Amino acid sequence: MIIGVPKEIKNNENRVALTPAGAKELVKRGHTVYVQHTAGEGSGFSDESYVEAGANILPTIEATYEIAEMIMKVKEPIEPEYKLIKKDQLLFTYFHFASYEPLTKAMVESGSVCLAYETVEKADRSLPLLIPMSEVAGRMAVQKGANYLEKPLKGRGILLGGVPGVLPAKVLILGGGIVGTQAAWMAAGLGADVTIMDVSLPRMRYLADVMPANVKTMMSNEYNIRKMIKNHDLIIGAVLIPGAKAPHLITKDMLKEMQPGTVLVDVAVDQGGCIETCKPTTHQDPTYIIDDVVHYCVANMPGAVPYTSTLALTNATLPYAIQLADKGWKKAAQENPELVPGLNVINGDIVYQAVAEAFDMDYTPVVKYLAD
């Protein structure tokens, strides 16, 4: 198979979808890998390192899309890329369709096959290609939140871990999944007073067992959220409904109940956000203020630590990429059920129900394409 790796063009996105080591594994299996000039530079990988691994370098993004049967990316295609995508071309990347209708319509019109990292799912319902970036984003949420609590950045002027004789900051985490768990570990390690809210009692029992003493659990509901936001300094939104839009757990009217300088970090922003006042921001202009509350809503948080993120992502995606390249997307999905929910759009049909429902568009069961 001919595999193309274009350079990411989303604002301040420095990750790349394939490391030289990953390229070498694909080339070893007889596949041809084309990498756009400087695509790996932001992650610390030179064109020379790809050439040494057996890949070919192409000068432009247009040439990369034109030659490839499978495109491997990190972030969803953005508008300048829509016209480059061809019928029957396989795109393997993060899409987060449910949060952005123009992207969904563009991919439907392209006739391409869109296999989304974030909805590839194991039998135990875990999301193996979302986990590594969720781990990065969860840890970064605390790192960024601690930073924006500083007064020059319009925060409350609180040190996350406090000092002897001064209480630490209070951190509230909405959601006890991968993002929430990693955020809790980081915040606890810095000495903060941490509360994780979730709707699953089994999950909270597990967290209560494994977390240090400065992490508490609490049932997530509107009454409890309204009570907790009044005295918490850093609030992290970490809610995920696979493939669907995130629910709004913090509404606009709640901001007035928060203390001035409270920091909100919404990690769910690329799925629409679990904070109503959240809107996607960039690393270039990451925050805005509403009702004296600082909002940090960068949609590609792991892009700020591209070396770590690219290695973590390729570790997870490469086994699936090899299956797709070796067998083609249809046979790979027939033989590996984990890939089936990853299929979101095929040849103009939306085959992932939550995406179709998000925009009231027609849904076609994926079995139409996988039946022999």
Side-chain angles (χ1 to χ4, degrees):
M1 186 178 280
I2 301 170
I3 298 148
V5 182
K7 185 180 174 77
E8 299 293 324
I9 56 174
K10 191 162 186 165
N11 184 294
N12 274 278
E13 181 51 72
N14 293 299
R15 289 173 289 179
V16 64
L18 192 66
T19 61
K24 191 174 185 67
E25 290 304 311
L26 287 162
V27 170
K28 267 167 52 180
R29 286 168 169 77
H31 305 295
T32 306
V33 178
Y34 288 94
V35 178
Q36 185 187 338
H37 173 54
T38 71
E41 214 168 59
S43 295
F45 302 117
S46 65
D47 286 354
E48 291 73 25
S49 63
Y50 285 102
V51 171
E52 285 171 15
N56 307 282
I57 304 298
L58 287 175
T60 65
I61 193 168
E62 291 83 3
T64 309
Y65 273 96
E66 177 59 34
I67 201 167
E69 296 168 284
M70 174 165 77
I71 291 285
M72 288 186 69
K73 278 178 52 60
V74 178
K75 291 302 287 179
E76 74 283 350
I78 61 175
E79 199 171 334
E81 294 171 274
Y82 294 171
K83 64 184 183 297
L84 304 177
I85 295 162
K86 304 178 297 186
K87 188 178 188 310
D88 294 325
Q89 194 169 45
L90 173 61
L91 274 75
F92 191 35
T93 187
Y94 289 116
F95 279 104
H96 300 289
F97 279 120
S99 65
Y100 195 50
E101 189 172 2
L103 170 68
T104 307
K105 288 185 169 176
M107 293 304 101
V108 166
E109 288 166 13
S110 74
S112 61
V113 178
C114 300
L115 209 159
Y117 290 161
E118 72 274 8
T119 56
V120 171
E121 189 176 298
K122 287 184 173 285
D124 63 2
R125 305 297 306 277
S126 65
L127 306 170
L129 306 190
L130 197 59
I131 285 172
M133 293 305 95
S134 295
E135 290 169 336
V136 172
R139 293 178 179 215
M140 276 191 72
V142 173
Q143 194 170 295
K144 291 295 182 183
N147 191 30
Y148 283 98
L149 276 172
E150 295 174 10
K151 198 67 178 176
L153 298 174
K154 310 301 181 189
R156 291 199 65 219
I158 291 178
L159 184 65
L160 205 66
V163 290
V166 181
L167 289 173
K170 286 179 171 285
V171 177
L172 178 64
I173 299 169
L174 303 175
I178 302 294
V179 170
T181 301
Q182 296 298 320
W185 280 118
M186 284 291 280
L190 289 167
D193 179 357
V194 184
T195 301
I196 306 177
M197 301 186 88
D198 202 279
V199 293
S200 166
L201 276 172
R203 184 64 184 174
M204 285 191 281
R205 287 191 184 104
Y206 166 77
L207 292 169
D209 280 345
V210 301
M211 285 289 167
N214 55 330
V215 178
K216 301 171 287 295
T217 58
M218 190 176 193
M219 179 57 70
S220 179
N221 55 49
E222 185 180 342
Y223 181 88
N224 285 345
I225 290 171
R226 285 188 180 275
K227 182 169 78 173
M228 298 295 278
I229 60 174
K230 293 176 182 176
N231 66 354
H232 277 67
D233 309 298
L234 170 59
I235 301 170
I236 296 171
V239 174
L240 173 76
I241 299 174
K245 206 170 187 306
H248 289 155
L249 300 186
I250 291 182
T251 53
K252 190 177 192 308
D253 65 292
M254 292 183 186
L255 300 190
K256 291 181 169 56
E257 299 180 41
M258 298 178 189
Q259 301 171 90
T262 298
V263 175
L264 303 180
V265 178
D266 196 344
V267 183
V269 62
D270 51 12
Q271 285 289 117
C274 60
I275 296 165
E276 187 181 8
T277 47
C278 151
K279 61 183 181 187
T281 60
T282 65
H283 290 295
Q284 194 171 313
D285 189 15
T287 62
Y288 56 92
I289 296 173
I290 300 176
D291 293 337
D292 294 324
V293 172
V294 180
H295 293 61
Y296 179 95
C297 304
V298 174
N300 63 327
M301 287 172 65
V305 287
Y307 181 75
T308 299
S309 298
T310 291
L311 288 170
L313 183 60
T314 297
N315 288 345
T317 59
L318 187 62
Y320 295 96
I322 288 170
Q323 292 170 44
L324 293 166
D326 285 352
K327 303 170 184 176
W329 69 266
K330 184 175 178 180
K331 187 160 186 261
Q334 287 171 334
E335 294 183 8
N336 184 354
E338 295 173 13
L339 285 167
V340 175
L343 291 162
N344 280 214
V345 177
I346 302 176
N347 298 150
D349 289 331
I350 297 176
V351 296
Y352 196 91
Q353 193 164 357
V355 174
E357 289 172 355
F359 307 118
D360 197 23
M361 293 169 76
D362 291 337
Y363 163 66
T364 302
V366 72
V367 68
K368 170 186 169 181
Y369 288 96
L370 297 182
D372 287 325

